[in-house]
């Protein structure tokens, strides 16, 4: 993972965008210095540097509405931080779900969360992770696995064992999500294409 370059700004602060781990909605914007960033990584809770209080401030330290870190990304210039997080309550001090007055709709289902997990495995590979091993093998191996799972699903579709069919369908869908990630796409990209086709 790229390291943030705090020395780019004279005050040592970088903007930090926080995004909902399921819906990808922007929850809030805060600022981090190096200490806030390191505390966030160490404790797994989003911590900012409060410019008004002139100290580190863990989001939720008074309200209990913490932001649990799911993924940390740094932009191409190293001067902006993006954190994908799971909120434990309203993010804004006004009681709103976001600091922009939006309602967070988390009915997008587990697939969105699974995509987030796959992204994390891709960007932060862990030893023993099957998903990470797929990315390490490369696009050809991933595509081949999708083909194998598709064939197995077709075979089960001709049988009468519904559970085996569903298991193969789940395997195919999982590996399809991995393939999308390997190619730099998400389900949202496919959804937009389908929506565009439907409108024709």
């Amino acid at each position: 993972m790229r390291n943030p370059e705090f020395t780019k700004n004279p005050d040592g602060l970088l903007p930090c965008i926080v995004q909902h781990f399921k819906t990808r909605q922007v929850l809030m914007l805060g600022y981090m210095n190096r200490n806030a960033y390191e505390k966030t990584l160490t404790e797994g809770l989003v911590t900012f540097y409060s410019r008004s209080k002139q100290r580190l401030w863990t989001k939720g330290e008074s309200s209990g509405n913490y932001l649990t870190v799911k993924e940390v990304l740094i932009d191409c210039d190293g001067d902006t931080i993006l954190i994908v997080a799971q909120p434990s309550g309203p993010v804004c001090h006004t009681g709103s779900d976001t600091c922009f007055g939006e309602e967070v709709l988390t009915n997008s289902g587990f697939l969105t969360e699974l995509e987030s997990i796959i992204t994390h495995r891709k960007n932060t590979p862990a030893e023993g992770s099957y998903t990470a091993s797929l990315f390490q093998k490369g696009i050809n191996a991933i595509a081949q696995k999708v083909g194998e799972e598709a064939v197995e699903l077709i075979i089960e579709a001709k049988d009468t064992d519904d559970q085996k069919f569903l298991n193969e369908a789940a395997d195919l869908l999982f590996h399809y999500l991995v393939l999308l990630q390997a190619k730099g796409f998400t389900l949202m990209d496919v959804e937009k294409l389908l929506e565009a086709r439907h409108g024709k």
Side-chain angles (χ1 to χ4, degrees):
M1 182 176 68
R2 180 190 299 273
N3 292 318
E5 299 181 24
F6 293 100
T7 56
K8 282 196 169 185
N9 290 334
D11 57 7
L13 297 177
L14 294 181
C16 173
I17 302 164
V18 182
Q19 206 176 31
H20 195 285
F21 81 113
K22 280 190 176 181
T23 68
R24 298 296 176 170
Q25 286 172 277
V26 175
L27 299 175
M28 68 175 294
L29 170 70
Y31 291 87
M32 286 186 176
N33 61 11
R34 189 178 303 279
N35 289 338
Y37 179 74
E38 290 176 353
K39 183 177 172 66
T40 295
L41 294 184
T42 301
E43 299 184 0
L45 297 175
V46 177
T47 297
F48 298 107
Y49 179 82
S50 172
R51 294 176 295 174
S52 59
K53 300 174 183 176
Q54 296 288 297
R55 66 171 178 85
L56 297 188
W57 164 63
T58 298
K59 180 72 179 78
E61 64 183 26
S62 57
S63 67
N65 297 330
Y66 295 101
L67 291 168
T68 302
V69 176
K70 293 291 186 178
E71 186 177 7
V72 178
L73 300 169
I74 310 300
D75 82 331
C76 57
D77 293 321
D79 58 9
T80 303
I81 302 165
L82 173 64
I83 293 185
V84 181
Q86 179 177 0
S88 57
V91 173
C92 186
H93 70 281
T94 64
S96 295
D97 287 349
T98 80
C99 288
F100 302 96
E102 290 187 303
E103 180 183 359
V104 172
L105 302 175
T106 57
N107 60 350
S108 52
F110 177 67
L111 284 181
T112 304
E113 183 176 352
L114 181 58
E115 270 197 315
S116 179
I117 295 170
I118 291 172
T119 302
H120 181 72
R121 295 287 190 271
K122 176 185 177 183
N123 295 330
T124 314
E127 186 177 351
S129 166
Y130 171 71
T131 307
S133 71
L134 286 173
F135 287 114
Q136 289 167 356
K137 290 176 183 176
I139 191 70
N140 289 341
I142 297 172
Q144 181 179 344
K145 191 63 180 174
V146 171
E148 292 172 359
E149 297 298 343
V151 170
E152 291 176 9
L153 179 63
I154 292 169
I155 292 172
E156 290 302 333
K158 296 181 178 182
D159 206 342
T160 57
D161 192 322
D162 291 343
Q163 192 58 51
K164 285 185 178 179
F165 172 76
L166 287 176
N167 282 331
E168 294 301 340
D171 287 345
L172 175 59
L173 185 53
F174 170 77
H175 288 91
Y176 170 61
L177 291 175
V178 173
L179 180 61
L180 281 177
Q181 285 283 329
K183 294 293 291 183
F185 297 107
T186 67
L187 272 179
M188 183 66 71
D189 296 313
V190 178
E191 183 179 336
K192 287 178 180 177
L193 180 58
L194 290 172
E195 185 177 8
R197 287 180 181 177
H198 180 70
K200 291 181 179 179

